[in-house]
């Protein structure tokens, strides 16, 4: 590693609780984060399973666990997730902070590209974040969901020398003025992140819905993978990250058949209309939580 490279420090961070019970590939996620980062901060909530032992079992000294307590009374729009995310981020000491959720994986082939993008923009203050393309696997490892319902790009790396916070778990707001916030200015990372949250076993998915719905004031409804607009599902023609392939064999749903009698929701009909309009205009009309810069 060159002198320039060693001068840059990259922090990774995430939050976890009951990752084993809820079927997250969090060990695989953390291992992929270690391909890029010099330290990884894990805000670990008090749980009832072996999540802590499994994280410790990775055996890498770059991982630092911070024990946390979740506010069980915070049920407004998932804000408890933002609280946990920021506990981890506020303990990052690198030039960049890389947030990866417990069901997201970095492909080993992309790790050098990500590090190179951070090096490229390290001394350019106009670039405050890096945004990634997303592969959202659905129902089984062979299908990807592609529609406005599934964010196509998201910032996951933030410059750690600016005032930022997360109003929920998915995006950041930069506070460069005392009373007003804005989305970060982001360059493209040039590679995707692999999202496996919707291929976990149906049993684990239902347990996840049961446990987390209260933080969004939602009713915990049974999840059935086959209840979806099949037109948004596309075959995956790439290669899964090496680190998640065993998890996919052991814990993911192996096959998936959409229900041909499924009735589209009002939201899904709207998204179909949006996709037609996108094809006509040649533009991505989805909401973006960043401002793209060159």
């Amino acid at each position: 590693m060159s002198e320039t490279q060693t001068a840059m420090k990259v922090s990774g961070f995430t939050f976890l609780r009951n990752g084993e019970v809820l079927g997250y590939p969090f060990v695989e996620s953390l291992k992929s984060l270690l391909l890029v980062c010099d330290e990884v901060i894990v805000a670990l909530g008090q749980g009832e399973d072996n999540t802590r032992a499994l994280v410790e079992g990775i055996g890498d000294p770059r991982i630092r666990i911070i024990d946390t307590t979740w506010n069980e009374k915070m049920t407004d729009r998932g804000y408890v997730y933002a609280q946990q995310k920021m506990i981890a981020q506020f303990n990052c000491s690198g030039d960049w902070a890389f947030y990866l959720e417990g069901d997201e994986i970095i492909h080993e082939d992309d790790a050098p590209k990500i590090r190179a993008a951070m090096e490229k923009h390290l001394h350019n203050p106009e670039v405050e974040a890096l945004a990634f393309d997303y592969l959202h696997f659905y129902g089984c490892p062979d299908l990807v969901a592609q529609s406005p319902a599934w964010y196509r790009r998201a910032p996951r790396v933030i410059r750690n020398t600016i005032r930022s916070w997360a109003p929920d778990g998915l995006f950041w707001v930069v506070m460069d003025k005392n009373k007003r916030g804005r989305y970060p200015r982001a360059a493209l990372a040039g590679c995707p992140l692999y999202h496996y949250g919707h291929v976990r076993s149906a049993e684990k998915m239902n347990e996840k819905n049961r446990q987390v719905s209260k933080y969004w004031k939602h009713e915990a409804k049974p999840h059935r993978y086959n209840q979806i607009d099949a037109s948004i599902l596309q075959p995956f023609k790439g290669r899964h990250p090496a680190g998640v392939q065993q998890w996919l064999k052991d814990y993911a749903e192996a096959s998936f058949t959409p229900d041909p009698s499924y009735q589209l929701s009002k939201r899904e009909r709207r998204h179909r209309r949006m996709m037609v309009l996108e094809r006509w205009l040649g533009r991505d009309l989805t909401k973006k939580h960043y401002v793209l810069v060159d």
Side-chain angles (χ1 to χ4, degrees), residues 80-134:
V80 70
Y81 287 5
Q83 293 173 324
Q84 295 298 311
K85 176 180 177 180
M86 297 315 300
I87 289 171
Q89 181 177 333
F90 287 160
N91 279 273
C92 291
S93 60
D95 299 291
W96 299 101
F98 193 159
Y99 173 57
L100 201 66
E101 298 191 343
D103 56 8
E104 298 173 345
I105 309 288
I106 300 165
H107 200 292
E108 65 274 8
D109 292 346
D110 294 327
K113 302 174 189 176
I114 298 170
R115 188 90 188 189
M118 294 177 182
E119 290 279 5
K120 176 182 177 181
H121 299 295
L122 179 61
H123 301 296
N124 179 6
E126 287 300 306
V127 176
E128 299 169 324
L130 294 180
F132 291 81
D133 297 316
Y134 259 81

Side-chain angles (χ1 to χ4, degrees), residues 138-140 143 225-228 233 253-259:
Y138 185 90
C140 69
L143 293 173
Y225 279 119
N226 67 349
Q227 300 299 290
I228 191 172
L233 301 176
E253 289 289 312
S255 61
F256 168 67
T257 302
D259 180 358

Side-chain angles (χ1 to χ4, degrees), residues 33-197:
L33 199 52
L34 288 165
L35 297 175
V36 176
C37 300
D38 302 296
E39 67 172 0
V40 173
I41 311 299
V42 180
L44 187 60
Q46 298 175 354
E48 297 80 43
D49 64 2
N50 294 316
T51 297
R52 185 186 184 95
L54 290 167
V55 173
E56 292 175 339
I58 296 173
D60 194 302
R62 290 174 291 170
I63 294 177
R64 178 157 61 95
I65 295 174
I66 298 173
D67 292 302
T68 68
T69 300
W70 284 40
N71 180 1
E72 299 297 339
K73 297 180 180 179
M74 174 54 71
T75 61
D76 187 7
R77 292 167 290 175
Y79 188 68
V80 70
Y81 287 5
Q83 293 173 324
Q84 295 298 311
K85 176 180 177 180
M86 297 315 300
I87 289 171
Q89 181 177 333
F90 287 160
N91 279 273
C92 291
S93 60
D95 299 291
W96 299 101
F98 193 159
Y99 173 57
L100 201 66
E101 298 191 343
D103 56 8
E104 298 173 345
I105 309 288
I106 300 165
H107 200 292
E108 65 274 8
D109 292 346
D110 294 327
K113 302 174 189 176
I114 298 170
R115 188 90 188 189
M118 294 177 182
E119 290 279 5
K120 176 182 177 181
H121 299 295
L122 179 61
H123 301 296
N124 179 6
E126 287 300 306
V127 176
E128 299 169 324
L130 294 180
F132 291 81
D133 297 316
Y134 259 81
L135 292 170
H136 298 284
F137 296 93
Y138 185 90
C140 69
D142 300 325
L143 293 173
V144 177
Q146 297 179 350
S147 92
W150 301 77
Y151 49 93
R152 293 164 180 155
R153 283 177 177 164
R156 277 294 191 261
V157 173
I158 193 80
R159 189 178 292 276
N160 205 33
T161 53
I162 61 175
R163 297 170 66 192
S164 67
W165 71 288
D168 69 16
L170 291 177
F171 61 90
W172 283 289
V173 171
V174 175
M175 302 298 296
D176 54 0
K177 297 181 180 180
N178 286 337
K179 295 183 180 180
R180 298 179 61 186
R182 58 173 175 79
Y183 291 143
R185 300 186 298 266
L188 297 180
C191 58
L193 293 177
Y194 292 64
H195 179 209
Y196 293 103

